[in-house]
Amino acid sequence: MRYRMLGRTGIEVSVHCLGTMMFGAIGNPDHDDSARVIHTALDASINFVDTADMYSAGESEEIVGKALKGRRDDVVLATKVHFPMGEGRNRGGNSRRWIIQAVENSLRRLQTDWIDLYQVHRPDENTDIEETLSALSDLVHQGKIRAFGCSTFPAEDLVEAHHVAEKRGLLRLRTEQPPYSILARGIERSLLPVCERYGMGVLTWSPLAAGFLSGKYRRTQPVDMTTGRAARQPFRFDPELPENAAKYEAVEQLAELAADLGCSLPELAVAFAATHPAVTSVIIGPRTPDQLEGLLKGAQLTLDDATLDRIDEIVPPGTDIYRADAVWTPLSLADPARRRRPLTERSAH
């Protein structure tokens, strides 16, 4: 296992990070089986574990907490805050009020006194970034978290956050966690260069493109739309939808490339995500021990320039073939009023 510095935090982490989104009700509900996956990853020299309060409504954090008993000091533990937790108002977002409450809940579920990396899961247009940075800075000073970062923030939000931190004398965002795969390379345009400029660590998620690079979905074989990811998100996998044609075509070419290299498609996908110089660690999110074993093989694979050139020909740099983040849309796109002048102004001459 290779290791890299997590930005400028001074924390050394494995190039592959164990993501635990699939532990709990939405993935593997067997806590003992999930714990075995965690232990197998740690035994394979992975020292970086990532979770979030909203994964299976806190159940993932509980599984991680139980699994890390006796091994906590050797693990760099990351979790997140933002998405609503339970019913009622003010139980989500990036406000000081919610962050202070949410971190205590996460500490309790994780059965730990501190969190190594606390991440803001998505931007919050209703909360001033100074409010968020101030709350997170206080948590560092209190020793409840060691560092903080964000997940799936646009490049311009990172620039604003660093400017506000410098102006107000607050601690800075140290990491960003964006989606990144061969099929979703959009972050290469500006986000990754901005992270490099500010010395931020980068944890990428979904190297298998939400399962599309798992090898399970091929144009040459029938797709079972009644189970798994295809049943939950048919818009991503239905081969009859025109918007999926480019993905299926790319998968066929990538599968051929993987065969030429003597590796599996998931191995190729995981190796690709770790190749960019701005990327610190690639999050792999297995549900079972067998899936973990297959993904770990990608940790041993190194891609040469000729292979990367072929990937560039299949999916050009900076290109997104699909929308990687299906759970959050910025208000600038989700709210039509943000994109349209008032009717009275449009009709005036």
Side-chain angles (χ1 to χ4, degrees), residues 91-126:
R91 296 187 58 81
N94 302 345
S95 69
R96 169 180 285 272
R97 185 183 193 277
W98 175 240
I99 288 173
I100 297 302
Q101 181 179 349
V103 75
E104 296 294 344
N105 294 338
S106 288
L107 288 168
R108 184 186 68 254
R109 287 189 291 262
L110 291 166
Q111 300 183 48
T112 186
D113 295 326
W114 83 97
I115 294 164
D116 294 288
L117 178 63
Y118 199 48
Q119 302 157 100
V120 183
H121 214 156
R122 292 293 188 278
D124 179 2
E125 293 191 14
N126 295 316

Side-chain angles (χ1 to χ4, degrees), residues 6 48 50 117 119 175-178 201-205 281 283:
L6 186 60
F48 201 7
D50 177 79
L117 178 63
Q119 302 157 100
T175 63
E176 158 61 11
Q177 185 182 135
V202 176
L203 302 65
T204 64
W205 55 272
S281 189
I283 298 173

Side-chain angles (χ1 to χ4, degrees), residues 233-251:
Q233 298 178 323
F235 63 92
R236 288 189 184 276
F237 302 97
D238 189 346
E240 301 299 321
L241 296 178
E243 55 265 35
N244 289 333
K247 288 192 291 185
Y248 277 103
E249 175 60 30
V251 166

Side-chain angles (χ1 to χ4, degrees), residues 105-225:
N105 294 338
S106 288
L107 288 168
R108 184 186 68 254
R109 287 189 291 262
L110 291 166
Q111 300 183 48
T112 186
D113 295 326
W114 83 97
I115 294 164
D116 294 288
L117 178 63
Y118 199 48
Q119 302 157 100
V120 183
H121 214 156
R122 292 293 188 278
D124 179 2
E125 293 191 14
N126 295 316
T127 305
D128 190 79
I129 188 62
E130 182 180 351
E131 172 90 357
T132 302
L133 294 176
S134 175
L136 294 169
S137 296
D138 286 348
L139 291 177
V140 173
H141 297 317
Q142 294 166 14
K144 294 182 178 180
I145 66 176
R146 300 295 188 252
F148 58 84
C150 54
S151 176
T152 322
F153 271 44
E156 59 270 22
D157 284 14
L158 297 184
V159 173
E160 180 188 8
H162 281 279
H163 173 73
V164 169
E166 181 178 8
K167 184 177 180 181
R168 299 299 187 188
L170 301 170
L171 298 181
R172 299 190 293 116
L173 293 171
R174 292 296 186 179
T175 63
E176 158 61 11
Q177 185 182 135
Y180 185 48
S181 71
I182 298 176
L183 301 185
R185 303 182 60 178
I187 64 171
E188 295 173 345
R189 289 181 176 272
S190 59
L191 183 70
L192 290 181
V194 165
C195 289
E196 286 184 294
R197 185 181 311 160
Y198 287 107
M200 298 178 68
V202 176
L203 302 65
T204 64
W205 55 272
S206 198
L208 300 188
F212 224 87
L213 295 177
S214 66
K216 181 179 179 180
Y217 304 99
R218 301 289 297 276
R219 188 178 59 190
T220 55
Q221 60 193 37
V223 178
D224 185 355
M225 300 296 296

